[in-house]
Amino acid sequence: MNEPEHPGSVFATPSQFNTTHWSVVLLAGKAQSPLSSAALERLCRTYWHPLYAFARRKGCAEEDAKDLTQQFFARLLERNDFASVDPHKGKFRTFLLTSFTHFLCNENDRARAAKRGGGQMIFSLDAMRSDQLEDFAAHAELAPDRVFDLRWAMTVMEQALARLRNELAAAGKGEQFEHLKKFLTEDPGDGEYASVAQRLGMPTPTVAVTVHRWRNRYRELVRAEVAQTVRSPLELEEEIRHLCEVLAG
């Protein structure tokens, strides 16, 4: 599968990391622009659920957690907090969790949360599905920062899977994807490849080869997602290791 190279590519060179979403957001510390705002919105959409889960695990009620998360993102833009960020230190994940922790500690007037960030809506948190909002409860025994990391890792994987689904659907392989997607993260049981091959009208060896190729592409897309939140190849490798450790439990 031939894919155009992009700034977040797994094959990105050090110089190309200058155009990741995180590096573009850091430029907002110098001058606001439509490009930096779009990059920030992209990152916020990736991290709203991890931060929401963190707030809930800290004891916030559902509506309070939604309001506080929205207000936090709005204040990032309003106060231009990126102006003080050292571009050579810290990944976006670390910066965001540290900032949100301070925000929760300093947020004593809960009435202000009803304003939903003073009207500066970055995106609607009301559109969150209830299953998305409450799945943190399954990890109620975990510490808040652990819940944040787990939800972050799951979000990265979900976004990469969605990109792979869209790529394959565009190539006319949407039906194959629906039948084979479970094998992207699970090894097949006895006879499973043969059973799927029969349903799809494909030779069994072709199914195995297809899954192998799609697994490799899935890994590339996961790396591409993570690459958007770091500033160097070294940080990318560190984040990938951290993601694997989080998912491994």
Side-chain angles (χ1 to χ4, degrees), residues 167-192:
E167 286 183 3
L168 294 174
K173 299 179 180 179
E175 182 181 0
Q176 290 183 21
F177 175 82
E178 294 304 322
H179 282 87
L180 299 178
K181 63 183 179 181
K182 65 169 292 186
F183 302 120
L184 295 174
T185 55
E186 300 177 15
D187 291 329
D190 292 340
E192 279 197 282

Side-chain angles (χ1 to χ4, degrees), residues 230-242:
V230 297
R231 283 185 50 87
S232 71
L234 177 60
E235 287 188 356
L236 173 58
E237 296 307 321
E238 291 174 350
E239 285 292 82
I240 290 295
R241 283 195 297 271
H242 183 67

Side-chain angles (χ1 to χ4, degrees), residues 38-239:
L40 178 58
E41 179 177 351
R42 173 70 163 75
L43 291 175
C44 288
R45 288 183 179 277
T46 299
Y47 283 90
W48 67 257
H49 197 182
L51 289 182
Y52 168 84
F54 179 83
R56 290 288 276 130
R57 190 67 186 87
K58 280 285 191 179
C60 296
E62 178 180 337
E63 289 303 316
D64 287 341
K66 289 171 62 176
D67 289 335
L68 289 167
T69 303
Q70 181 66 62
Q71 186 178 7
F72 170 71
F73 282 132
R75 286 191 179 185
L76 284 181
L77 284 180
E78 178 185 357
R79 295 169 50 180
N80 194 20
D81 288 341
F82 304 103
S84 60
V85 177
D86 184 343
H88 302 294
K89 295 181 181 180
K91 310 167 191 70
F92 186 74
R93 175 176 57 83
T94 303
F95 162 77
L96 207 61
L97 183 56
T98 300
S99 299
F100 191 55
T101 300
H102 291 321
F103 171 78
L104 291 180
C105 289
N106 295 330
E107 186 56 42
N108 296 317
D109 186 0
R110 292 297 191 239
R112 287 183 297 169
K115 297 179 181 179
R116 301 289 176 95
Q120 294 192 35
M121 190 68 70
I122 296 184
F123 52 90
S124 176
L125 298 185
D126 294 327
M128 298 178 187
R129 299 197 310 270
S130 59
D131 59 330
Q132 289 180 317
L133 290 173
E134 296 306 321
D135 69 356
F136 81 95
H139 311 288
E141 75 284 359
L142 300 178
D145 57 344
R146 172 68 174 157
V147 171
F148 171 84
D149 278 351
L150 182 59
R151 187 59 254 180
W152 162 75
M154 292 171 65
T155 298
V156 168
M157 301 298 287
E158 289 164 0
Q159 290 183 335
L161 186 65
R163 289 183 59 184
L164 180 60
R165 176 186 288 109
N166 291 338
E167 286 183 3
L168 294 174
K173 299 179 180 179
E175 182 181 0
Q176 290 183 21
F177 175 82
E178 294 304 322
H179 282 87
L180 299 178
K181 63 183 179 181
K182 65 169 292 186
F183 302 120
L184 295 174
T185 55
E186 300 177 15
D187 291 329
D190 292 340
E192 279 197 282
Y193 274 175
S195 176
V196 173
Q198 185 175 24
R199 291 199 298 271
L200 292 175
M202 299 168 59
T204 300
T206 301
V207 169
V209 170
T210 299
V211 170
H212 176 72
R213 289 176 52 245
W214 290 2
R215 280 184 174 182
N216 288 338
R217 180 57 182 158
Y218 187 31
R219 293 190 188 98
E220 290 181 0
L221 292 172
V222 168
R223 291 176 64 86
E225 288 294 322
V226 175
Q228 293 297 338
T229 65
V230 297
R231 283 185 50 87
S232 71
L234 177 60
E235 287 188 356
L236 173 58
E237 296 307 321
E238 291 174 350
E239 285 292 82

